Amino acid sequence: MRGPAQPLGARLASALVPVVPYLWLGLFFLVPFLIVLKISLSDAAVAQPPYAPVFDWADWRGFIEGLDLENFELLLSDSLYFDATLSSLRIAAVSTGLLLLVGYPIAYAMARAPVSWRPVLIALVILPFWTSFLIRIYAWVAILKPEGFLNQALMGLGLLSEPLDILNTEAAVFIGIVYAYLPFMVLPLYAALEKLDPSLTEAALDLGSTPLRAFWQITVPLSWPGIVAGSLLCFIPAVGEFVIPDLLGGSETLMIGRQLWSEFFSNRDWPLASAVAILLLLILVVPIVIYRDIEARRLEARP
Amino acid sequence: MPKPSASAKRRSVGAVRASFAPWADPGAVPLIRVASVTKRFGDAVAVDDLSLDIYGGEFFCLLGPSGCGKTTLMRMIAGFEQPDTGTLTLAGQNLAGVPPYRRPVNMMFQSYALFPHMSVERNIAFGLRQDRLPKDEIAARVAEMLRLVQLEGLAGRRPDQLSGGQRQRVALARALAKRPKVLLLDEPLAALDKKLREETQFELMDIQHELGMTFIVVTHDQEEAMTMADRIAVMDRGRIVQVATPGEIYEQPKTRFIAEFVGDVNIIEGQVAGQEAGLWRVAASPAGAPLTIDDPDEVLHSGQAVAIAVRPEKMVIQREPFPAGRPNVLTGTVWDIGYLGDWTVYRVKLDTGAIMRVSRANASRFVEAPIDWDERVSIAFAPDAAVILSR
Amino acid sequence: MTARRFSLFNATSLALGFAFLYLPILLLVVYSFNDSRLVTVWGGFSTRWYGALIQNEPLMEAAWITVRIAFVSAALATVLGTLAALALTRYGRFPGRRLFTGMVYAPMVMPEVITGLALLLFFVAVNLDRGFWTVSLAHTTLTLCFVTVVVQARLVSFDRSLEEAAMDLGAPPLRTFLFVTLPLIAPSVIAGFLLAFTLSLDDLVLASFNTGPGATTLPIRIYSQVRLGLSPEVNAASTILVGIVAFGVVTATILSKRSVLRSRRNAH
């Protein structure tokens, strides 16, 4: 047994510390997911709420019989969901790649900046994050519209004769995701790069490597944990993103988050929406577990 | 009980004669009793079936290399770890299950652990506030502590506004404020520079004497232990190797480990060749004739392999060979000389190849014909200058 | 780590990066003073939209509800998140730790449509009327994870010997936490609170799923307006928000810089 001796009362009280958040999360996170699972196996009903009851204690046999995989069959048969899933994964992956491309130089520059600048730089990266997400996406609508600021500027400078049609296309979604998620990529990258010992790069240069090769063979591999953490932190939520494709994307921009939303709010088909949620969860469970493992290992690695 | 030696008069080990020795009094009751305590961390045994008695008013030292278990033992006394087996008793009360905030023991941490968000005054008063003493009593005690550690006038400062030495005094004052029965000090001098360390050593001894408290110091620095302690417990790998006064540890080491850990020593290996007039004869290859050792406490038989320890300052070195009949003479060539100002240390390579260290005080400023490198020299030591090591 | 050649490339990256981040916000702010109703055409300087904003009752009401929800959920999330952070850093291997870690980190990355739907179905199943409290509970559950991450980062580097010293001097665990640990991790706890507050203030998806009559939040209102077309009052609202947040962040940075400098100057 480790640690100091403690009287029984103190030990019970200290057990509350993990127990209280555990219960909360169990109740408000775990249980809801079990309910989603159950609902996804139910039938829609024209009632309020629009599905068959969650759990009938008296008639549990009938309850089990009432469950079916109808909703999932629908999902798998209708190519819409398949396409939406693929498209979501694709868009999220491409956006994550773009985020790496844009975020890495920023994080790198921050890690190389004079130490006194760094709190300011971090604050500057975080500041947009503290302002409303919705409003910032909305700002991009204003920028990317045919009559928007971007086109005004480009046409005003004489670079274009006709406005660019960016809004309501996938390109706008990319821009939106990169813009909104940038702090989530930059900060983990910065954390990893900041720990890097600059003398390692110098040693490589001293031994004859070019700066570019030193970057690829030393800096990038050593910042790998930051790359993975930042990528997961962006990719996973981006797959299920709703607001950005809804505001910036067009009707052809299929994303599974939008599907879920419309099943729920427009079609009022809660069981089907639940099935979509389960589907999305299944797709993401592996990356989520990986992310959890990375964070848990980081916690344990500290002394 | 020591057997009667060749000399009838009582001999005192070491140069200092201590009049404070409760451990030698059969009627004295120890303040702290550690009984067969074992502590494991996973597969590693930190403290291995350890038993120890510490008496009230002692300045006690736990000495040993890192990893020997001294810190673990101290933390068990403080209450931050619990023994797996065995008992810890303080003033007759079993400490099992007693949390650290209910023990009459206080600790001075190695890192000082001063509360950075509190002033010096509030740091020192912290323990007193937990006992809910009246405000004016707290204020008086804090003032008394500040006077004791000579930090009057700094009550309002914060830890980050103090020097390292000042922070150490605050940590000491804070730990003493509650007048604990026992004060534990974890490497108290480790963070101080040499000059400050020496001063602080004597100050700690003065404070302990003035307050009449029991101090237990954990340290890996044998000089610290030798200077400050009434008794030292030398630990190695979770066990106590020897508990004795500094003088006894230095002049009567029980094992080779202790002889080598505390101070410098020459180890000569040989076999017992018999006993003559109460003195042991040991055949050792570095010497010509067998050595004559006066160590009456040992019980040995002929042919037994032994190791003999001789401290460098107990040896005599000179250029001229000694007269015949002089016991314990070795010859060799000067291999190295280290001039330290107050002492000179000679490393002499004996004809057998072994190297002996001999140190000599530079008692006069001018020396005629000093011993030089590569000179042939003779070394000798008295029969009672050597100790036969049991292990 | 000492800073090395801060090259032109680095400087350019930073400049372009921050321009990218701030240009949209800047445009919003500038055009909030636009006299013309057409958001993208400049019609002269005017503050009329700020006036219209104040008079826009539904918008103001939604703002007030959103602030109250944010405050309640952030307060709950801070308490729960700090407890969770303590549990993760101080309690070693307790039974169910893997599940606990999963439940703490998963909401951070889980798409909000999933958590929103799940919570709604839960509230329906337990027959809880949707409105202020369901949104608050939903926000608490989402944001407590972020609080945990922030506080746990601070706890990991916290000097445990300070707590041992307090216990050694007679303070039982609760008092040690209140008088020694909490004051020293307070900046992180406050940062966690602010983070939770902002996330709640900002959230559209969870609120949409879990709201009820009388609990229309600001993001929901803005969203419905934005779908119909750009609105200048939203510009004004966003400028005010940006102003408040900028002021807060700048003040916090200055304060923390000053305290870092002060302690660095005093330590030897």
Side-chain angles (χ1 to χ4, degrees), chain C residues 4-265:
Chain C
R4 296 327 217 128
R5 318 169 292 114
F6 187 68
S7 64
L8 183 63
F9 175 73
N10 288 337
T12 321
S13 311
L14 274 186
L16 284 178
F18 286 126
F20 177 59
L21 274 179
Y22 282 92
L23 216 52
I25 300 177
L26 229 59
L27 283 169
L28 272 181
V29 170
V30 167
Y31 273 79
S32 73
F33 296 103
N34 180 11
D35 196 26
S36 151
R37 187 157 234 301
L38 297 168
V39 179
T40 47
V41 175
W42 184 258
F45 186 89
S46 146
T47 54
R48 62 191 263 220
W49 302 114
Y50 290 89
L53 179 65
I54 311 246
Q55 283 165 13
N56 187 339
E57 255 204 54
L59 214 60
M60 291 282 102
E61 211 179 284
W64 175 232
I65 290 193
T66 312
V67 168
R68 280 165 49 214
I69 291 178
F71 197 81
V72 165
S73 65
L76 267 173
T78 305
V79 170
L80 289 167
T82 307
L83 288 176
L86 282 169
L88 284 175
T89 50
R90 295 297 163 85
Y91 282 69
R93 306 209 178 298
F94 57 86
R97 188 192 162 98
R98 295 209 83 201
L99 178 61
F100 188 67
T101 324
M103 289 200 291
V104 167
Y105 285 112
M108 281 181 73
V109 286
M110 189 89 66
E112 285 187 24
V113 288
I114 302 182
T115 35
L117 178 65
L119 274 165
L120 172 63
L121 295 177
F122 172 75
F123 291 136
V124 168
V126 299
N127 245 321
L128 192 58
D129 276 331
R130 266 102 68 220
F132 182 90
W133 283 106
T134 49
V135 180
S136 299
L137 291 173
H139 283 179
T140 306
T141 310
L142 172 72
T143 58
L144 88 80
C145 322
F146 288 91
V147 175
T148 306
V149 169
V150 172
V151 175
Q152 160 239 305
R154 174 67 183 101
L155 277 176
V156 161
S157 61
F158 186 80
D159 184 3
R160 308 274 319 256
S161 66
L162 290 172
E163 291 174 345
E164 287 185 346
M167 284 210 284
D168 176 69
L169 290 165
L174 181 61
R175 245 187 277 157
T176 303
F177 178 74
L178 288 176
F179 291 112
V180 177
T181 318
L182 196 56
L184 290 169
I185 62 171
S188 293
V189 174
I190 294 176
F193 176 84
L194 290 174
L195 186 57
F197 190 82
T198 306
L199 287 171
S200 166
L201 213 57
D202 210 9
D203 165 74
L204 171 68
V205 177
L206 279 185
S208 299
F209 274 100
N210 290 289
T211 191
T216 313
T217 64
L218 193 59
I220 295 178
R221 260 215 204 284
I222 294 180
Y223 177 64
S224 54
Q225 255 176 275
V226 164
R227 303 210 80 214
L228 301 172
L230 301 178
S231 146
E233 283 147 353
V234 175
N235 266 13
S238 60
T239 306
I240 296 179
L241 191 59
V242 170
I244 296 176
V245 171
F247 176 73
V249 172
V250 165
T251 317
T253 315
I254 293 182
L255 285 176
S256 79
K257 250 192 134 180
R258 220 189 282 159
S259 86
V260 165
L261 280 177
R262 201 195 318 133
S263 63
R264 211 179 282 172
R265 208 191 315 131

Side-chain angles (χ1 to χ4, degrees), chain B residues 324-347:
Chain B
R326 173 84 182 243
N328 305 331
V329 173
L330 311 162
T331 49
T333 326
V334 176
W335 191 247
D336 248 330
I337 305 181
Y339 173 72
L340 301 172
D342 48 0
W343 289 84
T344 303
V345 177
Y346 300 93
R347 294 196 337 149

Side-chain angles (χ1 to χ4, degrees), chain B residues 109-241:
Chain B
F109 288 75
Q110 183 175 359
S111 66
Y112 309 148
L114 298 181
F115 304 129
H117 58 302
M118 296 187 193
S119 66
V120 165
E121 189 268 326
R122 282 191 65 200
N123 261 284
I124 299 178
F126 186 85
L128 301 168
R129 289 222 172 87
Q130 304 312 313
D131 288 345
R132 305 205 203 271
L133 291 182
K135 274 207 186 140
D136 41 344
E137 213 181 298
I138 295 183
R141 189 78 71 85
V142 169
E144 186 192 327
M145 288 296 120
L146 286 172
R147 226 177 302 128
L148 186 69
V149 298
Q150 294 160 47
L151 283 182
E152 299 114 305
L154 293 179
R157 296 251 188 111
R158 294 209 158 193
D160 59 9
Q161 296 167 315
L162 302 172
S163 71
Q166 289 171 328
R167 268 184 244 159
Q168 193 231 27
R169 287 155 193 268
V170 177
L172 183 61
R174 183 177 73 177
L176 288 172
K178 294 180 76 162
R179 312 271 176 127
K181 290 213 178 79
V182 179
L183 182 66
L184 304 167
L185 299 99
D186 187 4
E187 310 266 6
L189 308 177
L192 304 175
D193 59 63
K194 189 154 191 275
K195 267 273 140 70
L196 206 52
R197 215 182 296 171
E198 279 176 29
E199 277 176 37
T200 315
Q201 272 174 6
F202 290 111
E203 270 189 55
L204 279 175
M205 290 162 70
D206 288 340
I207 291 179
Q208 188 258 348
H209 194 76
E210 188 181 321
L211 297 175
M213 250 186 236
T214 311
F215 276 24
I216 303 180
V217 171
V218 160
T219 180
H220 63 278
D221 185 332
Q222 32 122 335
E223 256 185 56
E224 226 170 88
M226 299 283 280
T227 312
M228 299 194 294
D230 289 323
R231 276 198 306 161
I232 304 176
V234 183
M235 287 180 66
D236 184 32
R237 280 175 288 199
R239 291 164 170 263
I240 292 192
V241 186

